[in-house]
Amino acid sequence: MATTIRSGVTITICTAWAAIRPCRRLPLDRTRRLLQLQPPYLSTAFSPQVRCQGVWRSRVRCTSDTSGAPPVTAPGTSDAAAADEVLLEAPGSFRIYRSGKIDRLNDPTILPAGVDEATGVASKDVVLDAGTGLSVRLYLPNKLQDASAKLPVVVYFHGGAFLIGSARDPTYHKYLNALASAAGVLAVSVDYRLAPEHPLPAAYDDSWAALRWVASAQDEWIADHGNASRLFVAGDSAGANIAHEMLVRDGGPRIEGAVLLHPWFSGNAAIEGEPPAAARVTGLLWSYACRGSAAGGADDPRMNPLASPALERLACARMLVTTGLEDGLAARNRAYYDAVAASGWRGRAAWLELEGEGHVFFLGKLECDNAKRLMDRVAAFIADA
């Protein structure tokens, strides 16, 4: 997905997610040297169906302001013209206007719940709050070796930069069917409210309410087949960001483990391995999704947890963080893992990086070797094997 931002200095952009072609991250023994960075180009993948369409040109604001606020309208521009100006565009995913309006260009197809022919997994939808529209889709595998056996429960948060995506769209429906079958879990996919119509923290609050509902085992499937003492949170991209937020909120249920798939974190300043342009783009998106509620721009601890003391109190016993080495977020993903491992947190952290893969590649090609390897690793992590 290519992204276009109006006004400022021109840079080259490609598609797959947020930064330049990333350098190789240091392994655990820290003996491998970092590779030379390539010329900067931004890649994006908020919508996993969208593949790289080539090189685009983007105009990114270049000032000392790193707050991510929209650029100032040029002198002489009418209010009406300014409101209709496209501020940021991701072809095939969304188009954001200076007025704050958004056009969602991603596939609006919604798949009904039911029994998946490929995996035999059954699914159903449950509305948790008719007022807000908060709902979840539950996935129950049919390979129960023992009818009395209780399954681990995985609460999953979809990606999409807080702007697009749904628990009911074809990509996530297919992935959750595969996850429930491969890992032998009862999965609960959260359909939270999207920005900008519902600015953050709406997505966080919806996810928190869904997590607490799952832990209460009010639903028949969860009560009969789920093991509430083996509760996991998981998500990809912005969904992994949400999973992290669930781990640092006070008063939540006990969580055994967390699976963060290519998490979307950033900050006002770029770290080693990512270009300044990536931080500026994230700052703009973050400001747009928050609509004024962000503290410190992209250094808000919800978007930049690297220096947060909250890492010491992550509410889980185990964590798996993954990335693809062709993902522009790879450096930031590794930095997050290193920060967790170096904090005072008493849990166990695991890391998985895959060569030659971009951001959330597994959503679009579940049958490829690396996607199968990743699924096997997630299943083993949940089983604690």
Side-chain angles (χ1 to χ4, degrees), residues 102-128:
I102 183 172
D103 290 337
R104 291 186 174 88
L105 311 174
N106 59 309
D107 184 0
T109 302
I110 297 297
L111 290 185
V115 177
D116 181 57
E117 293 183 3
T119 62
V121 172
S123 59
K124 69 174 182 178
D125 294 325
V126 178
V127 175
L128 304 189

Side-chain angles (χ1 to χ4, degrees), residues 34 74 81 94 106-107 119 122 217 219 240 247 264 277-278 295 298 318 328 333 339 369:
L34 294 175
F94 56 79
N106 59 309
D107 184 0
T119 62
D219 181 79
L247 297 174
W264 184 31
R318 300 186 286 122
N333 293 166
D369 289 343

Side-chain angles (χ1 to χ4, degrees), residues 316-351:
C316 63
R318 300 186 286 122
M319 176 181 286
L320 172 64
V321 184
T322 78
T323 198
L325 289 180
E326 297 304 312
D327 183 358
L329 295 178
R332 185 73 64 164
N333 293 166
R334 182 51 190 261
Y336 172 80
Y337 166 79
D338 287 342
V340 169
S343 73
W345 177 59
R346 297 183 180 181
R348 291 183 286 130
W351 168 256

Side-chain angles (χ1 to χ4, degrees), residues 49-125:
Q49 297 94 332
V50 179
R51 311 312 302 167
C52 186
Q53 303 299 315
V55 176
W56 297 71
R57 301 296 293 178
S58 174
R59 301 177 66 79
V60 177
R61 187 182 184 216
C62 185
T63 71
S64 59
D65 179 12
T66 59
S67 67
V72 177
T73 303
T77 303
S78 69
D79 291 342
D84 289 338
E85 182 183 356
V86 176
L87 184 62
L88 185 149
E89 182 172 5
S93 294
F94 56 79
R95 182 184 298 120
I96 297 172
Y97 297 86
R98 188 179 295 274
S99 65
K101 184 182 75 170
I102 183 172
D103 290 337
R104 291 186 174 88
L105 311 174
N106 59 309
D107 184 0
T109 302
I110 297 297
L111 290 185
V115 177
D116 181 57
E117 293 183 3
T119 62
V121 172
S123 59
K124 69 174 182 178
D125 294 325

Side-chain angles (χ1 to χ4, degrees), residues 17 28 34 61 65 135 152 157 162 171 173 178 208 237 243 263 267 272 302 309 311 364 373 379 383:
W17 196 152
L28 293 179
L34 294 175
R61 187 182 184 216
D65 179 12
S135 68
F157 311 104
F162 306 107
T171 296
H173 184 68
W208 182 246
S237 195
E272 182 181 8
R302 296 171 296 180
L311 291 178
R373 181 183 171 192

